[in-house]
Amino acid sequence: MPHVAWTELEAAARRDALSRIQDQFTADPDRLSRMTLDAAGLHLDLSKQSWSRAGFEAALALARACDVEGRRAALFAGEAVNLTEGRAVLHPALRAPDGAQFRALGEPVSAEVEAVRAEMKAYAQALRYGNETGATGRRFETVLHIGIGGSDLGPRLIWDALRPLDPDVDLRFVANIDPRDMAEALAGLDPETTLAIVVSKSFTTQETLLNAQAAKAWLADALPAEGLAKHFIGVTAAPEKAQAFGCGRTFAFRDWVGGRYSLWSAVSLSCVIALGWEPFQAFLDGAADMDRHFLEAPLEKNAPVLLALAEIYNVDGLLRGARSVAPYAHALRRLPAFLQQLEMESNGKQVRQDGSPVGRQTCPVVFGEPGANGQHAFFQQLHQGSQVVPVDFIIVGRTCDKTPSTYLWANALAQAQALMVGKNEAQAHAELMASGASEAEAGRLVPHKTFSGDRPSTTVLMKRLTPQTLGALIALYEHKTFVEGVIWDINSFDQWGVELGKVLAKALLKDAAKGEPSPELDPSTADLLRRLTA
Ligand code: F6P
């Protein structure tokens, strides 16, 4: 029964809180092999987490009691796992090799997935070779990707991670409703050689539609009206809306692709155009490798399952409400932002599937910056702050073809080591005395120079950042997010929490147009609105 398993996990965590991570290596000589594994080109090390062997076993028992294996089978079988919207959740179908047999709510979908992939590939090639041109017959040199949230963060991450230094086709992104974002994206571009790709699953998102209109006005100013549609591509689950907007061509995906899980679909068309098809196919293949691992590996050696269990141990066992993500690779600088949406929009919920309260902590606050930059910003808090924040270190052996990344990964390993080992008072005192401090001075400084240590981290290591390892890394976190949702018994695939703000913004726009707050507004909002419209 899950509640017994929860009680046992909490009891194990309480016991583990009394011992140090470092000592667990002596207590359990097999700890390293028990808590490390290789999957789809990634090496995962969970041995610097707070759990003892007993805690680890209690977490696995919880996963079994919550039927992670059964729910995983339901996901891949295309059942309606998104209960509040009555939808299947089938992003793995988008990266499966040709010939797969996925079904969404019983309806076969793999042939359609393959057809869209073929269409993307052909279109991207035609564009790259100049066979598909703009209104004035010139080859497209830049793609302007317009979208927000799940229609932006994934393609941005792919592009930053895989872009060549001197791309054949450049890619610019615009997401924010702030006109400055569009102005920056358009700076220096030539309308004749710019293709706008409007990406929106719903094709109703205010920011994206406003930006699409701004791009249309910019293009229409310079191009013959009859050729304008050639400069507009829509990627959406509502193709009729994209056509009505004026997109000359649309690429579709289905409602069983969640926005934040959509980067495997035509949502990444802009990246396919700018990178070429082969890297994108390799990216899909890497994710498919992780899918296979997730489906086939036993729970105790299953990377997404163990990553999820480490989080649950921290959040619910040890009451740690935040997690930091530190990718030690400039190319992965967008990973924290991507994971923020993936995890916080998926699991930032407090009711179970049946509507009753979860009654325990769910998704932590996820934040991060690329290493080594983060070390010089918020790592002070991670080392000596009063709240313990677990860290995911993403380490790449070689980030650049020519130069080994030794300085980079040495820093990452050092940070993880420092977090775990710390520095006790005797060590701090001895160091101060060795540096010539007086006894009084040493006494005064010791508390400031002491590190409690015993702060947990996970390491995900890849030898190289390639399209495959990038695909595997993202799929790893997707499945981790799913497993957590199963264990918390929440629906990871809706996002009702973002709706209220959208509705209120529409009402405020009306008030702004009138220049007068409506009487039902609270005093603070009314006052701020008056200040902004004065
Ligand atoms: O407002 C949140 C959200 O619905 C996300 O879930 C989604 O990724 C984003 O907006 C963009 O939505 P769309 O692709 O429909 O424009």
Side-chain angles (χ1 to χ4, degrees):
M1 289 293 286
H3 69 267
V4 175
W6 272 115
T7 309
E8 285 177 2
L9 176 127
E10 284 155 1
R14 275 195 301 276
R15 285 192 300 275
D16 287 347
L18 303 174
S19 60
R20 290 181 67 85
I21 301 168
Q22 241 180 311
D23 297 337
Q24 299 293 350
F25 284 93
T26 331
D28 175 14
D30 295 332
R31 182 175 175 86
L32 193 64
S33 58
R34 193 186 315 285
M35 296 181 191
T36 57
L37 64 97
D38 294 287
L42 306 179
H43 176 76
L44 184 66
D45 184 339
L46 293 146
S47 67
K48 290 196 188 81
Q49 283 294 339
S50 302
W51 46 21
S52 60
R53 179 175 178 180
F56 182 76
E57 298 295 348
L60 280 166
L62 177 65
R64 290 195 183 98
C66 295
D67 192 24
V68 164
E69 286 159 304
R71 300 309 301 152
R72 177 183 64 186
L75 178 97
F76 279 83
E79 291 177 22
V81 297
N82 176 354
L83 278 183
T84 58
E85 296 176 306
R87 291 177 184 165
V89 175
L90 267 187
H91 44 278
L94 297 167
R95 56 224 188 187
D98 284 357
Q101 302 287 327
F102 278 92
R103 287 173 175 269
L105 308 182
E107 184 203 338
V109 298
S110 294
E112 184 181 312
V113 167
E114 285 171 30
V116 176
R117 282 202 294 237
E119 220 189 316
M120 282 166 72
K121 183 176 173 181
Y123 178 69
Q125 267 169 4
L127 217 113
R128 285 172 66 80
Y129 295 140
N131 299 331
E132 198 56 77
T133 59
T136 56
R138 289 178 63 192
R139 177 181 171 269
F140 287 115
E141 288 169 6
T142 311
V143 174
L144 179 68
H145 180 115
I146 305 171
I148 197 163
S151 294
D152 165 71
L153 291 162
R156 244 187 234 256
L157 169 61
I158 298 174
W159 180 239
D160 282 352
L162 304 179
R163 60 171 294 163
L165 290 177
D166 187 14
D168 300 334
V169 178
D170 199 13
L171 188 45
R172 304 267 179 105
F173 290 89
V174 59
N176 203 335
I177 204 164
D178 185 338
R180 173 81 196 189
D181 196 13
M182 178 62 84
E184 284 182 5
L186 293 181
L189 296 191
D190 180 348
E192 287 188 44
T193 58
T194 302
L195 174 75
I197 304 190
V198 186
V199 185
S200 175
K201 180 177 172 184
S202 59
F203 228 85
T204 58
T205 303
Q206 193 185 49
E207 293 88 337
T208 300
L209 294 186
L210 282 171
N211 279 331
Q213 271 152 13
K216 199 179 199 174
W218 179 78
L219 287 165
D221 252 7
L223 298 174
E226 62 282 5
L228 199 57
K230 290 184 108 182
H231 289 251
F232 268 98
I233 302 294
V235 178
T236 179
E240 63 303 332
K241 293 199 176 101
Q243 281 145 18
F245 176 81
C247 292
R249 186 161 181 174
T250 55
F251 290 80
F253 58 100
R254 295 295 198 106
D255 67 0
W256 44 260
V257 183
R260 52 194 174 272
Y261 300 85
S262 64
L263 73 172
W264 319 100
S265 73
V267 161
S268 295
L269 177 65
S270 52
C271 297
V272 174
I273 294 170
L275 294 168
W277 179 259
E278 278 68 33
F280 190 69
Q281 181 61 57
F283 171 69
L284 299 181
D285 293 344
D289 279 352
M290 184 55 76
D291 290 340
R292 264 188 301 280
H293 165 83
F294 178 50
L295 269 171
E296 291 166 9
L299 296 192
E300 65 276 13
K301 281 290 173 196
N302 194 305
V305 172
L306 295 188
L307 202 54
L309 291 177
E311 179 104 299
I312 284 174
Y313 208 73
N314 282 317
V315 170
D316 297 300
L318 297 162
L319 306 181
R320 290 161 182 168
R323 190 181 96 252
S324 187
V325 179
Y328 275 70
H330 182 67
L332 290 176
R333 61 194 173 280
R334 282 260 153 201
L335 185 68
F338 176 83
L339 293 183
Q340 241 164 14
Q341 190 205 15
L342 174 64
E343 301 188 36
M344 295 174 80
E345 198 166 82
S346 296
N347 287 341
K349 319 273 166 73
Q350 52 176 317
V351 294
R352 292 182 213 269
Q353 297 269 17
D354 67 5
S356 63
V358 175
R360 60 181 75 251
Q361 295 302 314
T362 58
C363 185
V365 172
V366 179
F367 70 100
E369 275 290 316
N373 309 18
Q375 288 172 209
H376 302 276
F378 55 82
F379 267 53
Q380 164 64 36
Q381 191 282 342
L382 303 184
H383 287 289
Q384 288 187 312
S386 51
Q387 274 187 46
V388 173
V389 178
V391 185
D392 285 1
F393 288 95
I394 318 291
I395 302 183
V396 179
R398 214 172 237 269
T399 55
C400 201
D401 272 348
K402 297 199 179 85
T403 332
S405 319
T406 319
Y407 283 101
L408 198 56
W409 63 248
N411 267 289
L413 294 186
Q415 292 297 322
Q417 195 188 6
L419 285 167
M420 178 173 74
V421 174
K423 187 190 284 181
N424 63 29
E425 288 180 5
Q427 290 167 318
H429 184 267
E431 271 178 21
L432 282 159
M433 297 304 284
S435 70
S438 68
E439 187 60 55
E441 206 177 6
R444 187 172 64 78
L445 289 176
V446 158
H448 301 277
K449 298 215 169 203
T450 300
F451 294 66
S452 63
D454 203 34
R455 297 184 173 220
S457 67
T458 290
T459 300
V460 180
L461 189 149
M462 62 189 90
K463 284 263 176 65
R464 276 175 183 272
L465 179 64
T466 62
Q468 282 93 338
T469 51
L470 179 69
L473 180 70
I474 298 172
L476 167 69
Y477 276 94
E478 284 181 345
H479 291 317
K480 164 209 185 260
T481 304
F482 166 71
V483 171
E484 289 168 1
V486 169
I487 294 176
W488 286 319
D489 190 21
I490 57 183
N491 181 1
S492 303
F493 301 107
D494 60 12
Q495 57 284 321
W496 302 106
V498 297
E499 294 306 322
L500 179 59
K502 290 184 190 172
V503 172
L504 295 181
K506 281 199 183 128
L508 286 169
L509 279 169
K510 285 194 186 139
D511 289 358
K514 279 189 289 174
E516 185 56 34
S518 53
E520 62 270 18
L521 273 190
D522 66 87
S524 163
T525 311
D527 177 59
L528 293 168
L529 188 130
R530 267 192 216 98
R531 287 169 189 276
L532 286 160
T533 50

